[in-house]
Amino acid sequence: MVYPRTKLISFVWIISLMALLVMFMSFLANGNELVTLPQIEYNDNDLISAIIERKAERQYATEPVALKDLALVLWAGSGIKSPQVDSVSHATRTIPSAMGIYPIDVYVFALQVENLPSNIYLYLPEKHALQEIPSVNVTEALTKITNQRAVQNASMVFLIVFHRDKSSRMNDKFAYFEAGEVVQNISLMAVDRGLGSYVIGMYYQEKIIEVLNEENIEPVVLMAVGKPSQ
Ligand SMILES: Cc1cc2nc3c(=O)[nH]c(=O)nc-3n(C[C@H](O)[C@H](O)[C@H](O)COP(=O)(O)O)c2cc1C
């Protein structure tokens, strides 16, 4: 039996359309499929608690922060893990860095820290020490840099920058990314030490450069830290 040519073409078209419809429906079905993840056990561990408790804290008590807590928070942000160095990856810091360049520097504006004169300092991870930066009064310096009032009640304010000498060997986007790592580690360690913090993106870049007398840096954010007022 011989079918007319037009009927045969229509038949092929219908079969093709049906096949396409079946493929489309199976695609939709797959796209809608949900894999339900295990529920988060909120009291499972300290890290989960710190992640939950972290929030922008802008009200601080007048109590000073312990020097040990400042040390822990800075160490978490960009400290050296040695002697617990990973013998395989040679990871030495608390944060990863593209090509191991570590372009981020952290400055501390110490307002109320026990046993630490109120001053501006640069954190030196290799020495786990603070290097004093000659400056005028810290409160005056902060007033110049940002008009965020909560900063004046904080016990300390961190300035996260990347250093152009180091970042010139990498793409700027990596340097910004690494600044984010530092901020997150500081936020979480602050919570763990009973401190609150918030990130400040509103500042005057040229004033920071003027106060620090350092042209070769790119400021990213400030972070105010202190004991929450309640
Ligand atoms: C890059 C960045 C810049 C920010 N700048 C400011 C700021 O200038 N002033 C401010 O009050 N909060 C600032 N924040 C805090 C956000 O407002 C806050 O994180 C956001 O509302 C979410 O709230 P949470 O941190 O409590 O989860 C900033 C946060 C980020 C990440």
Side-chain angles (χ1 to χ4, degrees):
M1 188 175 160
V2 178
Y3 287 105
R5 192 178 147 79
T6 47
K7 267 197 175 167
L8 198 61
I9 290 173
S10 307
F11 180 70
V12 170
W13 264 107
I14 288 167
I15 294 294
S16 308
L17 278 175
M18 281 171 70
L20 273 173
L21 194 65
V22 168
M23 278 165 66
F24 181 64
M25 282 170 70
S26 77
F27 168 77
L28 275 187
N30 283 339
N32 284 340
E33 223 166 74
L34 286 184
V35 178
T36 311
L37 296 171
Q39 286 299 308
I40 307 299
E41 304 281 340
Y42 285 128
N43 293 319
D44 235 12
N45 67 28
D46 293 345
L47 181 57
I48 294 177
S49 304
I51 290 171
I52 290 167
E53 285 166 33
R54 187 221 58 82
K55 62 183 168 70
E57 182 64 65
R58 299 179 179 87
Q59 311 278 336
Y60 310 105
T62 47
E63 281 171 72
V65 163
L67 188 56
K68 190 179 173 209
D69 288 340
L70 167 60
L72 267 168
V73 165
L74 283 172
W75 172 83
S78 65
I80 306 272
K81 285 190 286 185
S82 176
Q84 287 87 20
V85 174
D86 182 321
S87 59
V88 179
S89 69
H90 305 291
T92 55
R93 298 266 195 126
T94 52
I95 51 157
S97 177
M99 294 169 280
I101 289 174
Y102 302 104
I104 305 299
D105 280 339
V106 181
Y107 289 87
V108 185
F109 291 68
L111 291 153
Q112 273 203 89
V113 182
E114 278 170 8
N115 305 317
L116 185 69
S118 183
N119 219 322
I120 304 177
Y121 301 90
L122 172 64
Y123 177 54
L124 305 177
E126 289 82 3
K127 297 184 174 153
H128 189 54
L130 295 174
Q131 181 187 306
E132 192 179 315
I133 307 289
S135 77
V136 287
N137 178 288
V138 180
T139 311
E140 277 175 29
L142 281 170
T143 312
K144 274 190 193 171
I145 288 172
T146 179
N147 55 14
Q148 302 265 309
R149 262 185 288 154
V151 155
Q152 305 296 347
N153 303 320
S155 297
M156 51 201 186
V157 176
F158 297 126
L159 167 65
I160 320 296
V161 307
F162 58 85
H163 208 281
R164 292 234 163 263
D165 286 348
K166 298 180 214 163
S167 70
S168 60
R169 289 189 282 136
M170 60 160 62
N171 190 316
D172 271 6
K173 71 183 174 190
F174 291 157
Y176 286 114
F177 177 90
E178 292 180 28
E181 298 169 356
V182 172
V183 167
Q184 189 68 359
N185 274 14
I186 288 178
S187 309
L188 295 179
M189 183 57 87
V191 170
D192 191 70
R193 302 309 301 165
L195 303 172
S197 70
Y198 89 104
V199 179
I200 300 161
M202 302 283 282
Y203 55 76
Y204 304 108
Q205 173 142 346
E206 67 287 355
K207 296 290 177 197
I208 291 178
I209 286 161
E210 184 188 308
V211 164
L212 298 180
N213 194 23
E214 172 61 89
E215 296 271 335
N216 226 2
I217 53 166
E218 175 73 19
V220 184
V221 285
L222 294 159
M223 285 182 83
V225 183
K227 288 197 177 151
S229 59
Q230 352 136 345

